[in-house]
Amino acid sequence: MLTKTLTRIGAATALVLIASPVLTGCSTSKNKADTLYVARDVSTLYNSGKNRLDRGQYKLAAALFDEVERQHPYSPWARRAQLMSAFSYYMNRDYPESIAAAQRFLSIHTGNKDAPYAYYLISLCYYEQIADVTRDQKITQQALDSLGELIRRYPDTRYAADARLKVDLVNDHLAGKEMEVGRFYQRRGQWLAATLRFRTVVDKYETTTHAPEALERLVESYLALGIPAEAQKAAAVLGRNYPGTKWYERSYKLMREHGGGNA
C-alpha cells in the first residue's frame, strides 16, 4: 500500500508544521563528511540537515538532525531536529528508525503542538508496511492500533480525519486476511474452522467490502455442517443487506437446492 499520495501528504504536512526559519551559517561540508563528529554550532548542523533533506538525501539529513540532538540536547533546536529526523527517516523508508525518532520526541514533548503529527508519522510508518493478505498481519494490527490512538488523542485534527479513512482500509485488509484463511479451510473441508473465520468478518468487519461474501460462505459452511437453520439466518441477513449481489444469488440457489426453503 505504498502510495505516492501518502508520501506527498507526509511531505506537505512536515513543511507546514515544522519548516524552520531561514538560518545563517550553512555548512560547507560535503557528502558523508557532513555526519562526521565535529563540534558545530546548532544552526550550522540544522541547516546542513535541512539542505540535505531539500536535496532528497534523506539518510544524510536524518543523521545530521540526529547530530543536532546529540551535540545540543538542551537547545530548542533539538526538539525540532527530532521531528525532522523522524520525517527524514520516513522519506527514506527507514520505518523502524522513523518510529523510534517520533516516539523519542513524544516521550519528551508529549504536550507539544506537533505531537499530533508525530503520532501521525508513526501511523504512516506502520500503514505503509502493510503486507499482502497472504502474509502475517502483525504490522497491519500495529497500523490499526496507532491510527486508533491518534484518533482518540486528537479527534479534531486533520490527521485524525485522514486516520479514519485509513482505519477503514486497514479493517478491509484484516477482513481480507480472515477471508483468505476461511477459504483455505473450506477447500480442506474443515467447515467449522472456516465458519469461525467467516463469522469474525461478519461480526467484527461488517462494514467492509468482504461482508457479503462472508455471509454467503457461512451459508455454504452451515449447509455442509448440516445446520440448515443457521444457513437460513445467514442467507436472510445477506438478502436483507445485499440483495443485488452475486453472493445473494449464490446463497439463494444453495438454499433452494439444499436448505429446504427460500433464502
Side-chain angles (χ1 to χ4, degrees):
M1 290 191 180
L2 298 176
T3 64
K4 293 181 180 178
T5 301
L6 288 173
T7 302
R8 287 197 297 270
I9 289 173
T13 305
L15 290 175
V16 169
L17 290 181
I18 53 179
S20 63
V22 176
L23 302 174
T24 59
C26 292
S27 173
T28 58
S29 301
K30 300 297 181 182
N31 301 322
K32 292 184 179 180
D34 279 358
T35 60
L36 295 175
Y37 181 82
V38 177
R40 283 171 281 184
D41 65 274
V42 66
S43 63
T44 297
L45 274 174
Y46 187 91
N47 272 313
S48 295
K50 185 66 167 57
N51 178 262
R52 294 294 179 178
L53 179 62
D54 292 341
R55 291 162 61 183
Q57 297 175 322
Y58 303 123
K59 200 169 189 69
L60 279 173
L64 285 161
F65 289 128
D66 287 343
E67 198 64 18
V68 170
E69 183 184 0
R70 188 157 73 97
Q71 291 193 27
H72 305 278
Y74 304 111
S75 164
W77 293 99
R79 180 182 67 246
R80 189 178 305 172
Q82 282 179 336
L83 209 50
M84 291 294 278
S85 172
F87 177 69
S88 299
Y89 282 125
Y90 164 74
M91 291 298 290
N92 203 51
R93 297 183 179 179
D94 293 329
Y95 297 121
E97 291 84 353
S98 178
I99 291 169
Q103 288 176 336
R104 188 167 64 254
F105 173 88
L106 289 169
S107 69
I108 303 172
H109 312 290
T110 305
N112 186 270
K113 64 182 178 63
D114 291 332
Y117 178 71
Y119 279 104
Y120 182 64
L121 198 56
I122 291 169
S123 299
L124 286 182
C125 287
Y126 285 126
Y127 183 80
E128 294 191 8
Q129 294 181 83
I130 292 177
D132 183 82
V133 294
T134 58
R135 299 177 62 186
D136 178 72
Q137 297 303 294
K138 180 180 178 181
I139 287 290
T140 309
Q141 189 60 54
Q142 289 174 314
L144 189 62
D145 293 342
S146 60
L147 289 164
E149 183 174 11
L150 169 59
I151 293 167
R152 286 191 301 274
R153 287 177 177 270
Y154 307 100
D156 300 323
T157 62
R158 73 182 75 175
Y159 310 113
D162 187 61
R164 290 185 186 96
L165 296 175
K166 287 179 171 58
V167 164
D168 290 340
L169 294 173
V170 173
N171 279 327
D172 201 79
H173 192 86
L174 289 170
K177 178 63 176 180
E178 294 293 328
M179 292 300 298
E180 193 271 336
V181 175
R183 288 190 293 264
F184 169 78
Y185 285 136
Q186 269 195 329
R187 290 191 296 270
R188 294 170 63 93
Q190 297 176 270
W191 300 105
L192 182 58
T195 298
L196 293 175
R197 295 291 181 163
F198 299 138
R199 278 243 62 97
T200 297
V201 174
V202 172
D203 294 339
K204 190 174 179 181
Y205 305 111
E206 70 275 10
T207 61
T208 70
T209 60
H210 299 281
E213 181 185 354
L215 285 163
E216 193 279 332
R217 299 285 181 178
L218 279 175
V219 172
E220 295 178 11
S221 300
Y222 283 134
L223 289 175
L225 287 167
I227 317 175
E230 292 299 320
Q232 175 68 35
K233 291 177 184 178
V237 173
L238 181 54
R240 192 162 54 245
N241 292 281
Y242 310 99
T245 64
K246 67 178 182 179
W247 303 111
Y248 176 65
E249 292 177 7
R250 287 175 57 169
S251 70
Y252 183 85
K253 183 178 179 182
L254 282 169
M255 292 305 298
R256 289 294 296 262
E257 293 176 354
H258 307 288
N262 295 325

